[in-house]
Amino acid sequence: MEKLTLREFWQELGSGAKKQTLMSLANKCHVSIDTVKAWMLGYRNPKGLNRDAVLYFVKKEYNVEIIEND
């Protein structure tokens, strides 16, 4: 299993996968697409259950473990 930061993971995705990820996480976390983009670009960090949902989604869909920034 690959280990990446959330931003590194986001940069590796293609445009179709980015759109699908944005829509899926926005629906799962009940937030806007702009909020999910901010998480992925590192402007904000998901908190609590939203963080758990993001980590689980990325691990399940892409087989990537998200690590903390150093």
Side-chain angles (χ1 to χ4, degrees), residues 42-69:
Y43 300 137
R44 287 190 265 166
N45 293 319
K47 303 288 184 209
L49 292 176
N50 289 340
R51 178 162 177 74
D52 294 343
V54 169
L55 296 179
Y56 179 76
F57 177 83
V58 171
K59 189 172 188 177
K60 180 181 172 207
E61 296 294 319
Y62 298 101
N63 199 29
V64 172
E65 185 176 340
I66 300 299
I67 58 173
E68 297 291 325
N69 292 335

Side-chain angles (χ1 to χ4, degrees), residues 7-57:
R7 186 176 183 136
E8 290 169 340
F9 162 75
W10 185 248
Q11 291 172 342
E12 288 189 3
L13 289 181
S15 62
K18 284 183 179 180
K19 287 179 186 178
Q20 181 62 33
T21 300
L22 285 174
M23 291 188 299
S24 295
L25 286 175
N27 287 333
K28 288 182 188 304
C29 297
H30 304 288
V31 297
S32 73
I33 288 175
D34 290 332
T35 299
V36 178
K37 263 190 212 177
W39 293 343
M40 296 300 184
L41 294 172
Y43 300 137
R44 287 190 265 166
N45 293 319
K47 303 288 184 209
L49 292 176
N50 289 340
R51 178 162 177 74
D52 294 343
V54 169
L55 296 179
Y56 179 76
F57 177 83

